Amino acid sequence: QVQLVESGGGSVQSGGSLRLSCAASGYAYSMGWFRQAPGKEREGVAAIDSDGSTTYADFVKGRFTISQDNAKNTVYLQMNSLKPEDTAMYYCAATAKREWWLLRRADFGYWGQGTQVTVSG
């Protein structure tokens, strides 16, 4: 069983930065970040494998960076150049599936409670 706890959300002006953290208890092979805005489907943002391989959604490439600290069993999402359209609830997720890099919600079986990110301006 994997338990995930996110932190680091908040409100920021357009162009600003935030760093999200996800602490995992229990072993997680691959971890990812998803987001869901009101009235929209949950979408994949970025994911990272245990060996450090990463994948990103096109809409965050060059702005967001996913990383991990294996010693702390924690994954981070550094978000720079934030835009109002990045406003959403951000969820940490974990999976043991090899298809982690496809960023499909259905492939991730473990989820955190979410942390709100609001970008104004």
Side-chain angles (χ1 to χ4, degrees):
Q1 188 73 9
V2 177
Q3 294 185 326
L4 306 170
V5 179
E6 304 101 330
S7 61
S11 296
V12 66
Q13 294 282 337
S14 181
S17 299
L18 283 173
R19 189 177 82 154
L20 307 182
S21 299
C22 175
S25 62
Y27 186 79
Y29 292 86
S30 306
M31 295 180 69
W33 288 95
F34 288 72
R35 70 185 188 185
Q36 188 167 17
K40 293 189 176 182
E41 294 290 318
R42 192 171 298 187
E43 59 184 359
V45 176
I48 187 166
D49 198 13
S50 56
D51 67 357
S53 301
T54 58
T55 187
Y56 294 91
D58 286 344
F59 53 80
V60 302
K61 283 181 179 177
R63 300 189 299 125
F64 292 10
T65 302
I66 189 170
S67 61
Q68 62 188 0
D69 184 333
N70 290 330
K72 296 182 179 180
N73 227 16
T74 299
V75 172
Y76 305 96
L77 185 68
Q78 178 66 44
M79 305 186 294
N80 298 328
S81 303
L82 283 161
K83 307 174 182 180
E85 51 263 44
D86 293 318
T87 295
M89 185 72 78
Y90 282 70
Y91 296 90
C92 179
T95 182
K97 291 191 175 183
R98 294 182 179 182
E99 297 84 1
W100 62 271
W101 58 275
L102 292 173
L103 282 176
R104 295 183 304 202
R105 177 181 180 176
D107 291 326
F108 286 75
Y110 301 97
W111 294 87
Q113 80 287 353
T115 185
Q116 178 68 38
V117 171
T118 302
V119 184
S120 59

